[in-house]
Amino acid sequence: MNERFLKQAIELAKANVEQGKGGPFGAVIVKDGQVIAVGTNTVTSSNDPTAHAEVNAVRNACKALDSFNLSGCEIYSSCEPCPMCLSALYWARIDRIYYAADQNDAALGGFDDSFIYKELSLDKSQRAIQSGQFLKSLGKEPFDIWNNKQDKIRY
């Protein structure tokens, strides 16, 4: 863990609030001791609910490295990643996550994601957003094509 990168993420978060670009979150992605990309929360300025600091940093790092795989990288985040960001970090194959504030601190700031954790633990029929499965056999067809594709790029 390198405090310099974590402090950089915190400074990004503070500047983001001061500039009015979004919530108080910043993230820095590092590979081999070098900053590859940064990201801040731009949810309100971009009208994109997925534009969290970690997701933006992942997008920027993937562009910088010309790869969807961020193995060998670490992320330094001003706050513990929310469930969406954590999922994105797993999909990106980030090696390590370091953060300053935690989800309780975020909740005190008005960013409470505990309801998402609770929703995920519920049976699908009990969740606030109702869902249903339809056309299952047709829905499996794209996976059959994918499974038979010889030149696919696995991720």
Side-chain angles (χ1 to χ4, degrees):
M1 203 288 291
N2 187 316
E3 283 188 17
R4 178 173 52 110
F5 299 130
L6 195 51
K7 287 178 180 177
Q8 183 178 354
I10 294 166
E11 289 303 316
L12 285 167
K14 289 167 31 179
N16 200 55
V17 172
E18 291 167 356
Q19 295 166 6
K21 293 184 179 178
F25 304 96
V28 176
I29 294 182
V30 175
K31 184 170 187 170
D32 300 325
Q34 300 295 316
V35 174
I36 301 302
V38 300
T40 58
N41 179 293
T42 58
V43 169
T44 57
S45 61
S46 66
N47 292 318
D48 180 353
T50 69
H52 290 200
E54 297 88 348
V55 171
N56 284 337
V58 165
R59 290 172 179 156
N60 293 336
C62 289
K63 286 179 188 168
L65 296 174
D66 194 27
S67 177
F68 56 82
N69 186 328
L70 298 181
S71 294
C73 294
E74 305 171 327
I75 190 165
Y76 292 82
S77 183
S78 63
C79 186
E80 181 178 3
C82 75
M84 176 186 69
C85 293
L86 185 60
S87 297
L89 297 173
Y90 273 96
W91 277 112
R93 309 293 193 267
I94 290 279
D95 287 357
R96 286 187 174 66
I97 302 167
Y98 302 105
Y99 58 89
D102 65 17
Q103 61 182 282
N104 298 313
D105 299 313
L108 290 173
F111 299 91
D112 188 355
D113 54 16
S114 64
F115 75 97
I116 297 173
Y117 287 108
K118 289 176 189 168
E119 285 285 307
L120 292 173
S121 69
L122 294 174
D123 183 80
K124 291 175 188 172
S125 65
Q126 301 299 312
R127 293 181 182 167
I129 298 176
Q130 295 299 302
S131 64
Q133 183 177 25
F134 304 94
L135 302 175
K136 181 177 173 104
S137 61
L138 287 176
K140 289 173 56 178
E141 289 178 6
F143 293 103
D144 293 338
I145 295 168
W146 172 259
N147 288 331
N148 292 320
K149 185 171 177 57
Q150 297 301 310
D151 62 342
K152 64 184 166 235
I153 300 172
R154 294 188 180 275
Y155 61 98

